[in-house]
């Protein structure tokens, strides 16, 4: 039988601002279904820990973009390739279109501003773990326009009926668990379908896939 601890979401935090890092860890520490496993002040320290300690990567990584040394964007690009099962949420002060679009097209699943309320951060972690795309409201309002402008149209996209069905569910904002119920498949199969769809659409994130689907009227 699963225990509450088994069901908790394992989270790492990468944030170089000491006070903000402590505040987030304190917040997560008081949330029963979230386990704040590790916090790091630099990408180098986090990557060294992952490589030398032989630990499993987290389910969700909260990541600042403005880091010393290796940047947050570089971490997103690297982890999207090497740790694809980890869901990355950007938690930053940057709200300019360039930073948002780079983070999301590189593979981040969500984007929160540091002005987010504590309950927004908690909800975002839960959404990400369930396959969702958490966004700060100001980011969400401009996201589709941002990505649509930067997304090159893809001609002759050959999606199977099931892949097209999955894409429609992504556009509708369903989480992976909800999509699994709708399609009567396992969440693992949903993840597999999604990776195939991303590859065919030449995108690296759910948000970019939704933008392309809307722009090119694929659903």
């Amino acid at each position: 039988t699963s225990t509450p601890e088994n069901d908790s979401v394992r989270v790492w935090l990468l944030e170089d601002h000491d006070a903000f890092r402590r505040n987030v860890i304190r917040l997560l520490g008081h949330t029963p279904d979230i386990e704040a496993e590790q916090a790091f002040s630099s990408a180098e320290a986090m990557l060294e820990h992952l490589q030398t300690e032989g630990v499993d990567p987290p389910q969700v990584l909260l990541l600042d973009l403005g880091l010393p040394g290796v940047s947050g964007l570089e971490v997103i690009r690297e982890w999207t390739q090497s740790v694809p099962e980890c869901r990355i949420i950007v938690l930053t002060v940057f709200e300019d279109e360039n930073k948002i679009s780079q983070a999301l097209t590189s593979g981040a699943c969500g984007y929160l501003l540091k002005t987010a309320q504590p309950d927004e951060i908690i909800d975002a972690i839960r959404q990400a773990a369930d396959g969702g795309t958490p966004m700060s409201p100001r980011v969400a309002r401009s996201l589709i326009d941002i990505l649509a402008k930067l997304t090159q149209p893809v001609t002759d996209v050959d999606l199977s009926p099931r892949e097209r069905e999955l894409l429609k569910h992504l556009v509708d904002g369903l989480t992976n668990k909800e999509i699994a119920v709708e399609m009567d498949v396992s969440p693992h199969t949903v993840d597999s379908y999604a990776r195939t769809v991303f590859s065919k659409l030449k995108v690296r994130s759910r948000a970019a896939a939704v933008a392309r689907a809307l722009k090119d009227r694929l659903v």
Side-chain angles (χ1 to χ4, degrees), residues 136-158:
S136 282
R138 279 186 298 186
V139 173
R141 278 197 295 271
S142 58
L143 173 63
I144 298 302
D145 289 339
I146 293 170
L147 291 174
K149 282 190 292 188
L150 295 169
T151 300
Q152 297 301 314
V154 175
T155 56
D156 301 323
V157 179
D158 182 24

Side-chain angles (χ1 to χ4, degrees), residues 2-217:
S2 294
T3 65
E5 185 175 357
N6 295 141
D7 294 333
S8 61
V9 181
R10 296 182 298 102
V11 179
W12 287 9
L13 172 64
L14 177 51
E15 165 62 59
D16 68 317
H17 190 282
D18 291 342
F20 188 78
R21 188 174 64 249
R22 286 195 298 271
N23 287 339
V24 173
I25 288 299
R26 189 178 303 117
L27 167 67
L28 301 185
H30 287 92
T31 308
D33 62 333
I34 292 176
E35 185 178 355
E37 288 191 331
Q38 298 287 343
F40 304 93
S41 59
S42 72
E44 291 86 343
M46 183 183 74
L47 296 171
E48 181 181 357
H49 178 79
L50 184 63
Q51 291 163 0
T52 61
E53 298 298 323
V55 295
D56 289 332
Q59 292 165 274
V60 174
L61 172 64
L62 290 178
L63 169 73
D64 188 14
L65 292 182
L67 297 168
V70 175
S71 73
L73 286 172
E74 290 176 88
V75 173
I76 295 170
R77 294 186 187 110
E78 166 64 28
W79 276 41
T80 299
Q81 298 298 316
S82 62
V83 195
E85 66 276 15
C86 176
R87 308 279 290 167
I88 301 174
I89 302 173
V90 172
L91 185 58
T92 186
V93 296
F94 297 115
E95 56 180 305
D96 60 280
E97 290 192 358
N98 188 45
K99 287 284 197 304
I100 295 169
S101 61
Q102 284 190 67
L104 294 171
T105 55
S106 294
C109 78
Y111 199 106
L112 294 185
L113 301 178
K114 286 187 176 179
T115 51
Q117 295 299 308
D119 60 338
E120 291 181 275
I121 296 174
I122 297 301
D123 287 345
I125 291 171
R126 291 170 179 153
Q127 283 183 48
D130 281 344
T133 309
M135 300 281 162
S136 282
R138 279 186 298 186
V139 173
R141 278 197 295 271
S142 58
L143 173 63
I144 298 302
D145 289 339
I146 293 170
L147 291 174
K149 282 190 292 188
L150 295 169
T151 300
Q152 297 301 314
V154 175
T155 56
D156 301 323
V157 179
D158 182 24
L159 296 177
S160 72
R162 291 292 267 174
E163 290 164 355
R164 204 168 289 274
E165 180 185 354
L166 173 117
L167 187 57
K168 184 181 185 306
H169 290 318
L170 294 181
V171 170
D172 289 341
L174 272 63
T175 67
N176 280 14
K177 286 183 179 178
E178 291 168 339
I179 294 171
V181 172
E182 290 292 328
M183 297 183 67
D184 195 24
V185 295
S186 71
H188 178 76
T189 300
V190 170
D191 195 52
S192 177
Y193 276 142
R195 293 190 190 288
T196 302
V197 169
F198 292 175
S199 176
K200 288 184 176 182
L201 298 184
K202 295 182 170 57
V203 299
R204 298 175 68 179
S205 71
R206 168 190 279 245
V210 168
R212 171 152 286 155
L214 294 175
K215 183 182 181 185
D216 295 344
R217 297 179 180 173

